[in-house]
Amino acid sequence: MATENYGTLYVCATPIGNLSDMSERFIETLKSADIIAAEDTRHTLKLLNHLGIKKPMISYYEHNKRERSEVLTEKLKSGLNIALVSDAGTPAVSDPGEDLVALCHDEGIKAIPIPGCCAAVSALSVSGLPTGRFCFEGFLTVNKQGRKERLEELKDEQRTVIFYEAPHRIRKTLSNMLEVMGDRNISIGREISKIHEEIYRDKISNLIDISDTMKGELVLVVE
């Protein structure tokens, strides 16, 4: 249960490309927050400048999240309100934030979501694959053996499976999927909501040869 005198952590989903996707509530939350905890303060500064907002920022990213979580919770316990943002999309979903939110619950600090963009759900919605039941895997490990082992664990999964992937690994990942999971339907969302957005939908085998042309951020939705 949240303590009344504590501040609130607002978990704010940022645009994944198109700045028009920002909600009025998101903008008002940034304006009213005492501090903004950002994955990359330089990136977030550009967003704040675009909105004409000036706020003190604290960096909160993968390699300092444990120590910064303690710093941020102390500020929240002093009554300050903090907006948590990542570079793009929803914090704590394949982005920093999970540790901080968990600590807030442990300390009796309220955490409120400010909904917005999530690349995984956006890609799923236009995949043409079953959406009633799905699981999110994020990024596969770069370790060759570990990647194959994880795919082996997922090959009998009955739900639609969503992955994130980097362009320099997409060919290898698709080849591994074909080898381990078989030639099933897949949708690949590239640069969702950005200028060069594309949605590919085909069998895995048919997309391997053109995968070298897939640049930018990729979301794989697998049958």
Side-chain angles (χ1 to χ4, degrees), residues 1 44 73-74 80 97-98 110 138 140 163 179 199 202:
M1 182 177 294
T44 301
T73 52
E74 288 304 312
L80 297 177
E98 180 181 351
K110 186 184 294 185
L140 289 166
F163 301 89
E179 177 185 350
I199 306 296
D202 210 326

Side-chain angles (χ1 to χ4, degrees), residues 148-191:
K148 285 190 174 183
E149 288 175 356
R150 187 64 186 135
L151 291 173
E152 284 283 355
E153 294 171 359
L154 291 167
K155 70 178 182 180
D156 295 322
E157 173 61 63
Q158 297 300 301
R159 296 169 294 179
T160 300
V161 189
I162 305 172
F163 301 89
Y164 288 162
E165 193 51 279
H168 64 278
R169 291 197 299 265
I170 183 63
R171 174 179 280 272
K172 177 57 70 174
T173 295
L174 291 177
S175 296
N176 290 156
M177 286 181 174
L178 180 61
E179 177 185 350
V180 176
M181 305 174 80
D183 197 13
R184 55 184 76 185
N185 289 316
I186 186 172
S187 174
I188 301 178
R190 182 179 88 85
E191 293 286 86

Side-chain angles (χ1 to χ4, degrees), residues 1-18:
M1 182 177 294
T3 302
E4 186 175 344
N5 295 327
Y6 288 175
T8 299
L9 176 71
Y10 294 94
V11 181
C12 303
T14 55
I16 57 176
N18 194 320

